[in-house]
Amino acid sequence: MSTNSTAPKAKILPKKLKKHNEIRIDNYFWLNDRENPEVIDYLNQENAYYETMTAHTKDFQKELFEEMKGRIKEDDQSVPYLYNGYYYITRFEKGQDYPIYSRKKGSLEAKEEILFDCNELAKGHAFFQLGGLSVSPDNRYASFGVDTVGRRIYTIKIKNLETNEILPDVIENVTGGSVWANDNLTLFYTRQDKVTLRADTVFKHKLGTLATADSLVFEEKDDTFNVSVGKEKSKKYIVIGSESTLTTEYRILPSDTPDGEFKVFQPRVRGLEYSISHFGDSFYILTNKDKATNFKLMKTPENATEKKHWKEVIAHREEVLIEDIEIFRNYLVVEERSNGLNHIRIVPWSGEGEYYLPFGSETYNAYTTTNVDFDTDILRYSYQSLATPSSVIDFNMKTKEKEIKKEQAVLGGQFDKNNYVEERVWATAQDGTKVPISMVYRKELKKDGTNPLLQYAYGSYGATMEPYFSTTRLTLLDRGFIFAIAHIRGGEDLGRQWYEDGKLLKKKNTFTDFIDCSRFLIQEKYTSPAHLYAEGGSAGGLLMGAVINMAPELYHGVIAQVPFVDVVTTMLDDSIPLTTGEYDEWGNPNNKKYYDYMLSYSPYDNVREQEYPNMYVSTGLHDSQVQYWEPAKWVAKLRTHKKGDAVLYLNTNMDAGHGGASGRFEAIKELAKEYAFLLDLEQIKK
């Protein structure tokens, strides 16, 4: 790698941060000001440094981009689904970055109606996102949200689908999602706090009126909760949800009476989580009530919804997590997880002959997809694995026949899934816990310690990292890389307790699990420290930061995308989006016990003088979830502390937010940068 350019040095302006009678010095606090020209100048300097240092890989990046793009079916479309008399389709056209949303009335042979061509809407914007598309019950209107910055602050507009005109109704500074009442005139939507971006209020809009006249329906006063609004699949109820990490509460209103009062379903009780699904004259409730850590299913009459009326339908099981349910007229479908794998259980309401869908693979991902039709025997689900492209399957729950509606195309003529091996192995963590690792690699590979291996993980919020198929990943696999997902604690991969054991005062299990998985992969000769790479984004970027402070010698290179690395300072700032809602995940540092624990692992606070791996750090200037200054400060501090000659890059997308670039091909360009970084370190030139 080229080392002939001088790395930028951010100026040092010490700021004293006092808490619990302790003082921390933050030399780079000044970077926390997007409006300061010196801050923008520093980010531009870092970008220029990255460009100079990687100039020798520019042609290779283009080749990688074209290779990855070449596997994608550019003129692709989703499997149509039938809703309220129309088939809805999302499709892409060749050479276009953005989706086209359309529908056909009654039959797939009918004339196509274009609802939204996002390629047209995106013109003139560096970033574009359409979200929250919602069609009125009479099929005449569509409400939709648009974000042109990447900060997840949307403007809702309404389109008349019969005349194609955009109505004058404009609702600004909202989350983007909305739901129609059955009168086709009333729209419910959520607004955010202007500073924290926490969704905290639900408003009601009447078609043809000014947004300033919209009435407040509900305000969430507790700043650890977020609100949402939706509609039951039965279409009978509008539902307002209030959710925090540990507690939920719902309010319901018949969709036929939008001017009525919402009724609390079950008042919040700290630690009680529940979700609701309406069917017939009852609600089905997925809940952790009475210490059901892995959740159980209960039911209650729709006119008696408090928990004292709930009756058990499926009992809690220690070894099986109930993840979700899907209700049909004749069947209950239960999504479960045991031993780290998904299972789909079909339960006829008649009570006779329940069964599981058969999945034979050692490691895979299966889940129900778009099932908006209540009165059908067809369950639509998706199946994929690390070596098997994603399929959308229609399964007849009555006859047990399945029809593959679509299998993800892998263009280029090179791909054959039989050329790859999928494996699930178990590493032993330092406390004796067995941690699963899902892997994929070329079948001719030898376990001699010389293979480059990219180890990925997330490990927070109970998010499960599924073994999913990726066409772009083939670019690494076909050049000899092993790809491994470490299913570490902090996710829900092995049930709810797996999550509980990787948060709050047990958070360090997440980091040590990842390190122990790395040691296992080295010990078993899949790779060696000279060829091991680690990757994580957002809270997974926190994982990267913690791991390289604790065991830098294990990794040759690290990719940290939008990393959450300044844990203590961020969690003490309740004006930053997400902070207050995260106290149950990380702890509240206003309490000294949590402050001390966070401070002991916070990546930014624990940077020290030692050799660090080669690093590629990426962020977005407009990120609303992990503010750009966290990675910027972290890199600035690493520059003054790291020893040795490993490279360190900070690449800031000046036009995007947390999700990176918005166009499907722009996102691949960002991936090409990461892959070029890894391949360059491996001295793989083509």
Side-chain angles (χ1 to χ4, degrees):
M1 283 199 163
S2 159
T3 51
N4 56 4
S5 180
T6 308
K9 278 221 165 63
K11 68 178 180 183
I12 290 174
L13 289 176
K15 182 176 175 68
K16 290 183 179 178
L17 300 173
K18 189 175 179 186
K19 191 72 187 176
H20 302 300
N21 293 319
E22 291 179 15
I23 289 175
R24 287 180 303 135
I25 303 293
D26 187 346
N27 287 331
Y28 304 104
F29 191 87
W30 67 275
L31 286 169
N32 175 350
D33 182 3
R34 196 183 279 102
E35 305 304 315
N36 180 348
E38 285 188 76
V39 171
I40 300 301
D41 183 53
Y42 170 69
L43 296 177
N44 284 329
Q45 281 181 46
E46 283 284 3
N47 279 352
Y49 174 70
Y50 164 73
E51 294 295 336
T52 303
M53 292 288 285
T54 58
H56 64 289
T57 71
K58 280 292 171 282
D59 288 342
F60 192 25
Q61 283 181 39
K62 283 183 192 140
E63 286 167 31
L64 294 171
F65 168 75
E66 292 299 338
E67 177 185 312
M68 290 188 278
K69 185 182 168 192
R71 292 197 199 98
I72 294 170
K73 192 171 189 298
E74 288 196 46
D75 52 347
D76 202 7
Q77 74 168 43
S78 64
V79 179
Y81 66 88
L82 182 64
Y83 179 68
N84 204 16
Y86 283 83
Y87 282 94
Y88 285 87
I89 300 158
T90 305
R91 62 182 179 80
F92 285 91
E93 289 185 346
K94 199 169 173 63
Q96 299 281 12
D97 249 327
Y98 294 97
I100 295 168
Y101 296 96
S102 68
R103 68 180 185 178
K104 295 181 177 183
K105 188 173 184 178
S107 156
L108 288 171
E109 310 309 312
K111 180 172 177 288
E112 181 185 51
E113 295 176 36
I114 303 279
L115 304 178
F116 300 99
D117 182 344
C118 295
N119 300 290
E120 289 299 318
L121 295 171
K123 282 181 178 168
H125 299 293
F127 181 94
F128 179 84
Q129 191 90 47
L130 184 140
L133 180 52
S134 178
V135 177
S136 61
D138 64 2
N139 292 314
R140 283 182 63 198
Y141 300 106
S143 57
F144 62 103
V146 169
D147 172 15
T148 55
V149 177
R151 229 173 134 64
R152 300 188 182 177
I153 303 170
Y154 287 81
T155 297
I156 290 177
K157 298 180 181 180
I158 298 165
K159 183 175 183 178
N160 182 325
L161 299 177
E162 292 177 348
T163 65
N164 276 330
E165 66 175 319
I166 303 290
L167 303 185
D169 310 51
V170 174
I171 310 167
E172 295 180 315
N173 297 318
V174 292
T175 60
S178 58
V179 61
W180 293 90
N182 289 348
D183 64 356
N184 302 296
L185 292 171
T186 310
L187 200 62
F188 292 91
Y189 64 90
T190 46
R191 275 190 187 279
Q192 297 139 303
D193 179 282
K194 282 190 172 66
V195 178
T196 66
L197 302 188
R198 177 178 72 91
D200 60 354
T201 48
V202 177
F203 279 82
K204 180 168 63 179
H205 176 79
K206 295 288 185 183
L207 212 58
T209 64
L210 293 172
T212 49
D214 291 357
S215 51
L216 176 67
V217 173
F218 173 67
E219 180 176 9
E220 178 51 74
K221 297 275 184 31
D222 186 332
D223 64 7
T224 66
F225 281 75
N226 283 291
V227 298
S228 60
V229 64
K231 197 177 198 177
E232 283 295 314
K233 187 171 167 179
S234 69
K235 303 177 187 169
K236 187 171 177 181
Y237 290 96
I238 306 277
V239 180
I240 293 175
S242 284
E243 299 177 5
S244 74
T245 307
L246 298 176
T247 311
T248 44
E249 178 181 68
Y250 291 94
R251 288 167 167 72
I252 56 174
L253 174 72
S255 307
D256 289 336
T257 58
D259 295 328
E261 292 290 317
F262 278 84
K263 167 181 160 261
V264 176
F265 188 92
Q266 156 60 41
R268 67 189 67 178
V269 176
R270 182 165 169 79
L272 175 68
E273 295 176 69
Y274 69 94
S275 60
I276 59 177
S277 300
H278 178 254
F279 174 52
D281 58 2
S282 303
F283 277 95
Y284 284 77
I285 304 130
L286 201 54
T287 180
N288 67 347
K289 181 177 179 285
D290 302 327
K291 298 185 179 170
T293 311
N294 274 337
F295 290 78
K296 59 184 173 182
L297 187 64
M298 306 186 81
K299 90 182 259 198
T300 196
E302 61 185 342
N303 57 0
T305 59
E306 292 195 358
K307 63 180 167 58
K308 65 184 177 189
H309 303 291
W310 300 358
K311 298 279 188 290
E312 192 170 277
V313 177
I314 298 176
H316 174 254
R317 288 158 292 169
E318 290 293 334
E319 70 291 348
V320 180
L321 172 70
I322 302 180
E323 292 193 311
D324 207 355
I325 63 166
E326 190 79 66
I327 287 178
F328 297 88
R329 183 177 296 284
N330 297 318
Y331 298 92
L332 169 68
V333 176
V334 187
E335 293 189 79
E336 302 178 346
R337 177 178 296 276
S338 59
N339 198 31
L341 294 174
N342 315 101
H343 303 280
I344 297 177
R345 178 180 177 187
I346 313 291
V347 185
W349 291 118
S350 65
E352 292 172 18
E354 71 168 70
Y355 59 95
Y356 285 89
L357 293 188
F359 303 125
S361 195
E362 185 178 343
T363 174
Y364 63 86
N365 177 22
Y367 54 93
T368 66
T369 60
T370 312
N371 290 284
V372 290
D373 192 0
F374 171 72
D375 194 9
T376 179
D377 290 337
I378 303 295
L379 169 72
R380 180 165 289 178
Y381 73 94
S382 183
Y383 178 90
Q384 61 185 313
S385 72
L386 289 167
T388 310
S390 171
S391 296
V392 176
I393 298 159
D394 277 1
F395 179 79
N396 188 313
M397 294 180 277
K398 193 174 183 177
T399 66
K400 300 188 183 176
E401 293 171 324
K402 72 177 189 180
E403 179 188 357
I404 296 176
K405 301 299 285 186
K406 179 183 179 183
E407 184 171 69
Q408 180 183 0
V410 185
L411 303 188
Q414 306 293 317
F415 176 72
D416 176 352
K417 71 178 188 183
N418 297 312
N419 291 333
Y420 304 89
V421 175
E422 296 173 283
E423 200 179 352
R424 190 161 71 139
V425 295
W426 297 77
T428 304
Q430 56 192 35
D431 63 359
T433 303
K434 298 283 188 196
V435 182
I437 306 170
S438 299
M439 284 193 286
V440 62
Y441 49 84
R442 295 277 307 190
K443 93 173 161 193
E444 62 269 19
L445 180 129
K446 292 185 174 57
K447 294 176 193 168
D448 59 6
T450 66
N451 305 301
L453 187 151
L454 180 59
Q455 181 182 331
Y456 171 81
Y458 185 72
S460 290
Y461 304 110
T464 298
M465 293 298 109
E466 305 285 9
Y468 67 96
F469 181 79
S470 160
T471 61
T472 53
R473 190 190 298 135
L474 298 172
T475 289
L476 291 183
L477 299 183
D478 290 348
R479 288 173 173 82
F481 266 78
I482 299 170
F483 178 74
I485 300 172
H487 302 283
I488 54 183
R489 282 175 283 187
E492 224 166 53
D493 308 58
L494 290 180
R496 182 68 176 203
Q497 195 58 48
W498 201 248
Y499 169 41
E500 300 292 338
D501 287 344
K503 67 188 241 205
L504 296 174
L505 298 172
K506 296 180 179 175
K507 187 67 220 168
K508 286 184 190 172
N509 284 338
T510 302
F511 317 138
T512 53
D513 280 2
F514 189 89
I515 290 167
D516 291 333
C517 286
S518 299
R519 292 200 166 113
F520 171 83
L521 293 168
I522 293 165
Q523 176 193 316
E524 295 298 310
K525 297 210 172 343
Y526 286 98
T527 190
S528 60
H531 300 285
L532 177 57
Y533 302 91
E535 176 193 9
S538 197
L542 159 67
L543 168 68
M544 294 300 104
V547 159
I548 60 168
N549 283 335
M550 294 162 75
E553 72 285 352
L554 292 179
Y555 308 95
H556 189 220
V558 170
I559 295 171
Q561 302 130 335
V562 292
F564 169 42
V565 283
D566 191 11
V567 184
V568 180
T569 306
T570 291
M571 292 305 296
L572 282 169
D573 184 352
D574 59 16
S575 74
I576 293 177
L578 301 185
T579 294
T580 53
E582 310 256 313
Y583 289 157
D584 290 330
E585 178 74 29
W586 312 101
N588 182 346
N590 293 298
N591 173 328
K592 185 155 186 347
K593 176 173 67 171
Y594 290 108
Y595 174 88
D596 288 344
Y597 188 74
M598 272 182 206
L599 194 56
S600 73
Y601 70 73
S602 170
Y604 181 62
D605 292 288
N606 287 282
V607 169
R608 55 182 179 268
E609 291 199 4
Q610 61 178 8
E611 288 200 15
Y612 281 95
N614 297 288
M615 291 176 63
Y616 175 80
V617 182
S618 60
T619 186
L621 182 63
H622 301 289
D623 197 324
S624 62
Q625 288 184 260
V626 179
Q627 310 295 327
Y628 74 87
W629 60 76
E630 293 203 34
K633 288 166 50 173
W634 183 45
V635 167
K637 189 171 182 180
L638 281 165
R639 289 222 181 282
T640 62
H641 284 68
K642 79 179 190 70
K643 294 183 167 178
D645 55 5
V647 297
L648 171 60
Y649 302 137
L650 173 66
N651 189 214
T652 304
N653 184 327
M654 305 302 272
D655 295 318
H658 196 66
S662 58
R664 60 176 174 157
F665 300 131
E666 288 305 309
I668 298 174
K669 284 179 188 167
E670 294 190 359
L671 195 56
K673 290 179 179 179
E674 296 176 359
Y675 283 6
F677 168 76
L678 295 173
L679 294 165
D680 193 37
L681 288 170
E682 279 296 308
Q683 298 182 342
I684 296 170
K685 307 289 185 194
K686 61 181 185 181

